[in-house]
Amino acid sequence: MPTAATFRDIRRLVIGMLALVALAIAIQPALATTPSVAAPDTGEAEAAAQTPAEGQGADTQDAAGEGEAAYEYLGPEWIKGQPTSFEEDPWKSMTFQDQYTDDGQYALGMNNYILIPVIVAISAFVLFLLMVVVVRYRRREGREPSRTTHNTLIEVIWTIVPVIILIVIAVPSITLLARQYETPPENAITIKATGYQWYWGYTYPDQGGFEVISNMLPAEEALSAGLPAQLAVDNRMVVPVGVPLRIQTFGADVIHSFAVPSLWFKLDAIPGRLNERMLTIQEPGIYYGQCSELCGARHAYMPIAIEAVPMDRWRQWVLSKGGSFGEEAETSEAADIQAPASAADGAPAAGGAPTAADDGGTAPSVPLDASETEGAESTN
């Protein structure tokens, strides 16, 4: 009889806990009241395709000599890596951001399919044991707990099982560490990120050594442009997508940390020392991060914004900044930036913005700087 009462009480506790969990899951959709800021719907995309932006369509070869006019930055519909608010998605706000690198996807899979199940299983087992002890040996039952000690079988089990669990966790962990510190190939594109108090500078030594200074935009200006406040910047770090990048970090004054969560990238920027790590971004888009080392009074106001675009688009940006591509640029620069010969109306100029074809179909299907051939002819 006492045993039946014990299991009855345990069953009631379990049913009560399951009811609370079910209630939490049921009210979760009601909490997500703010719509997600993502790619525009198909109707908006088609409308944008039919109405080219003012000033587009000029010959890109002429525009290359006009600085910023030669390149148009991606709009807010291309934002992929940014924090999620609790109002937008309560569960997603408490876990990792979506990952857009191979290392990030590996790490996220390890968390979701190895660490979380192990943590949940151990926690549930310990909770079950605590419930049994609390219910079975409560004072009202009047039971006397066993005084047995040195149970060989139990001691062997609680030694071997944790060792097996640690091995299961250690193998993918060591693999992830090795992947994160893989040496960049010789032909990787080098970008040096320098941390200043309190902004970032991005230097491109392979493209002439020019530097782009990146400061946080005022909140009003960022929000008016549809960009996230305290993350949007005046000049993003523009990089090519799908190719290895050699990211080097350096601190000009104190220790900073170059961290972009959605790219699974974090590397300290230390004065007097050049750190280096490889980064390969899978999809075009905008990815945000922040300095992750306490570097002074305005530490929270030096965000990182990375814009990943196709290679021809990135070359166009480099040329608009006054950069070069060495001997290769001398022989093929004109061919790289001139508009393609196309009989189709509305064909985009060379170096057009990425489309869904570049992104596996997840990004907007409309180039953000689609150039009309008619506009190019009228400009010329």
Side-chain angles (χ1 to χ4, degrees), residues 121-140:
I122 294 175
S123 301
F125 179 68
V126 173
L127 178 61
F128 173 76
L129 294 180
L130 288 174
M131 292 172 58
V132 170
V133 172
V134 169
V135 174
R136 184 179 179 84
Y137 297 102
R138 64 188 188 275
R139 179 177 297 179
R140 187 174 63 186

Side-chain angles (χ1 to χ4, degrees), residues 14-50:
V14 171
I15 293 174
M17 294 180 63
L18 292 177
L20 290 176
V21 173
L23 179 62
I25 295 175
I27 67 174
Q28 179 176 336
L31 298 175
T33 56
T34 304
S36 176
V37 180
D41 58 25
T42 306
E44 294 177 353
E46 293 177 353
Q50 296 173 2

Side-chain angles (χ1 to χ4, degrees), residues 56-67 69-71 313 316 319-320 333-340 348-352 369 371 376 379-380:
Q56 292 179 351
D59 190 325
T60 52
Q61 184 172 2
D62 297 335
E66 299 177 1
Y71 183 87
R313 185 89 171 123
Q316 184 183 3
L319 294 176
S320 74
E333 179 177 329
D336 290 336
I337 61 176
Q338 69 183 9
D369 72 335
S371 301
T379 305
N380 293 333

Side-chain angles (χ1 to χ4, degrees), residues 2-336:
T3 303
T6 299
F7 281 104
R8 183 181 64 249
D9 293 338
I10 293 176
R11 185 170 62 252
R12 289 176 179 175
L13 286 175
V14 171
I15 293 174
M17 294 180 63
L18 292 177
L20 290 176
V21 173
L23 179 62
I25 295 175
I27 67 174
Q28 179 176 336
L31 298 175
T33 56
T34 304
S36 176
V37 180
D41 58 25
T42 306
E44 294 177 353
E46 293 177 353
Q50 296 173 2
T51 308
E54 181 181 358
Q56 292 179 351
D59 190 325
T60 52
Q61 184 172 2
D62 297 335
E66 299 177 1
E68 294 296 332
Y71 183 87
E72 187 169 342
Y73 290 90
L74 300 183
E77 64 270 24
W78 284 89
I79 296 176
K80 295 184 178 179
Q82 68 172 339
T84 302
S85 65
F86 183 84
E87 293 78 10
E88 182 179 343
D89 190 334
W91 171 250
K92 196 172 182 180
S93 67
M94 296 184 288
T95 184
F96 294 104
Q97 297 182 21
D98 294 336
Q99 296 299 311
Y100 296 92
T101 63
D102 291 337
D103 289 347
Q105 292 180 355
Y106 182 93
L108 188 60
M110 174 184 168
N111 175 77
N112 293 342
Y113 303 116
I114 297 179
L115 296 183
I116 294 298
V118 168
I119 292 171
V120 171
I122 294 175
S123 301
F125 179 68
V126 173
L127 178 61
F128 173 76
L129 294 180
L130 288 174
M131 292 172 58
V132 170
V133 172
V134 169
V135 174
R136 184 179 179 84
Y137 297 102
R138 64 188 188 275
R139 179 177 297 179
R140 187 174 63 186
E141 293 294 326
R143 289 192 179 91
E144 183 69 19
S146 171
R147 303 291 181 177
T148 303
T149 60
H150 297 86
N151 189 305
T152 303
L153 177 60
I154 293 179
E155 291 181 356
V156 170
I157 291 175
W158 73 33
T159 301
I160 294 180
V161 172
V163 170
I164 295 175
I165 294 175
L166 291 177
I167 293 175
V168 169
I169 296 175
V171 172
S173 298
I174 295 174
T175 302
L176 179 60
L177 286 173
R179 290 170 61 112
Q180 290 181 152
Y181 291 97
E182 183 179 351
T183 303
E186 185 177 353
N187 61 346
I189 296 173
T190 302
I191 302 173
K192 180 182 177 183
T194 303
Y196 301 95
Q197 288 185 315
W198 286 273
Y199 57 92
W200 291 95
Y202 306 119
T203 306
Y204 294 75
D206 297 337
Q207 286 72 45
F210 67 92
E211 183 178 25
V212 176
I213 299 300
S214 179
N215 285 281
M216 186 182 75
L217 286 176
E220 298 78 8
E221 184 177 346
L223 293 175
S224 64
L227 300 172
Q230 295 190 349
L231 287 177
V233 299
D234 53 0
N235 289 302
R236 300 170 186 153
M237 186 179 91
V238 182
V239 300
V241 70
V243 299
L245 307 174
R246 180 184 293 105
I247 305 298
Q248 298 177 338
T249 58
F250 180 79
D253 32 51
V254 297
I255 299 177
H256 301 273
S257 186
F258 189 85
V260 186
S262 61
L263 302 178
W264 202 263
F265 191 94
K266 185 177 185 294
L267 193 62
D268 287 346
I270 303 174
R273 175 174 178 174
L274 195 66
N275 290 332
E276 178 179 295
R277 185 179 159 193
M278 184 172 69
L279 172 65
T280 304
I281 304 176
Q282 295 177 341
E283 300 179 8
I286 301 172
Y287 306 92
Y288 288 112
Q290 287 181 312
C291 176
S292 297
E293 186 69 41
L294 188 59
C295 58
R298 292 185 59 82
H299 156 72
Y301 304 102
M302 51 182 303
I304 300 164
I306 297 179
E307 179 170 322
V309 294
M311 177 62 74
D312 55 352
R313 185 89 171 123
W314 175 74
R315 291 174 63 89
Q316 184 183 3
W317 176 82
V318 170
L319 294 176
S320 74
K321 292 295 184 180
S324 63
F325 295 94
E327 298 178 356
E328 178 185 358
E330 297 177 1
T331 58
S332 62
E333 179 177 329
D336 290 336

Side-chain angles (χ1 to χ4, degrees), residues 334-366:
D336 290 336
I337 61 176
Q338 69 183 9
S342 175
D345 293 336
T355 63
D358 305 308
D359 193 30
T362 59
S365 59
V366 180

